[in-house]
Amino acid sequence: MKSHSLIAVIGMFAALSVALSGCSSTKAPEQSAATDASGVKVTGKSNSLFGFLKPYRIDIQQGNFVSREMVAQVRPGLTRDQVRFVLGTPLLNDMFHSNRWDYDFRLAKGNGEIMSSRVSVFFKDGLVEHVDGGEDLPTESEYLTLITNSKAGAKAAFTSSSDVKPAAPEAPSSSKE
């Protein structure tokens, strides 16, 4: 009698362990893909349990998406309001660095791919002095391809920055009428 209950307890423990192992992630966070100071970082895909069981994971988007076209519109001499019009409200506005706006973005796809980027805008006397980041950002169409998975397993190919032109409309002028 005692051996039957021991076997039942061990069997339930094994079944519970197998069932709960699907809830855990098998990859370390941010385990691959070297980060460059201003570009997009895409890491690899997550593993599955036993090679075929894949728990459903949602896509999680955090921060401001900034495209290459948007960064092309930001140039030295623009006011803070013009930058806010083009790029949106900054995600990070540090009170200790009031002359710097940071636009961080992170997209963690359900399949384990992680895309992240960072653009920083620096101001001097209320006008844009320079922009850090944005050299390797995707265009808006590449981003839409990436988030919609238009082809199963296909990744958007990033184009060179030489063929990116500022999109219309332009930011409002700084002159007051």
Side-chain angles (χ1 to χ4, degrees), residues 16-168:
L16 184 63
S17 297
V18 169
L20 291 179
S21 66
C23 297
S24 67
S25 176
T26 59
K27 70 176 185 124
E30 307 290 329
Q31 69 182 8
S32 61
T35 180
D36 85 268
S38 60
V40 175
K41 176 175 65 172
V42 179
T43 63
K45 301 185 182 252
S46 66
N47 296 329
S48 58
L49 181 65
F50 302 123
F52 64 91
L53 294 177
K54 295 180 183 176
Y56 177 74
R57 299 181 194 270
I58 61 170
D59 295 346
I60 301 171
Q61 178 177 327
Q62 297 172 311
N64 305 69
F65 172 72
V66 177
S67 68
R68 196 177 305 159
E69 295 94 347
M70 295 165 76
V71 172
Q73 291 182 18
V74 178
R75 57 192 176 279
L78 291 181
T79 65
R80 291 176 187 261
D81 289 335
Q82 291 172 320
V83 173
R84 189 176 285 120
F85 177 79
V86 173
L87 299 180
T89 304
L91 181 66
L92 300 175
N93 195 352
D94 188 1
M95 63 189 275
F96 298 110
H97 301 101
S98 61
N99 289 328
R100 181 174 108 191
W101 286 359
D102 293 313
Y103 293 87
D104 288 335
F105 176 75
R106 184 174 192 268
L107 174 66
K109 297 192 57 96
N111 63 3
E113 290 181 43
I114 297 175
M115 177 182 145
S116 62
S117 63
R118 181 179 190 135
V119 175
S120 298
V121 181
F122 293 88
F123 296 93
K124 183 175 184 179
D125 300 326
L127 301 176
V128 173
E129 183 179 21
H130 68 280
V131 178
D132 280 349
E135 292 86 18
D136 297 332
L137 293 174
T139 63
E140 291 175 9
S141 62
E142 291 168 346
Y143 175 69
L144 290 174
T145 301
L146 185 67
I147 64 171
T148 59
N149 288 333
S150 62
K151 292 181 182 175
K155 289 187 179 180
F158 297 149
T159 60
S160 68
S161 60
S162 62
D163 59 351
V164 175
K165 296 173 182 57

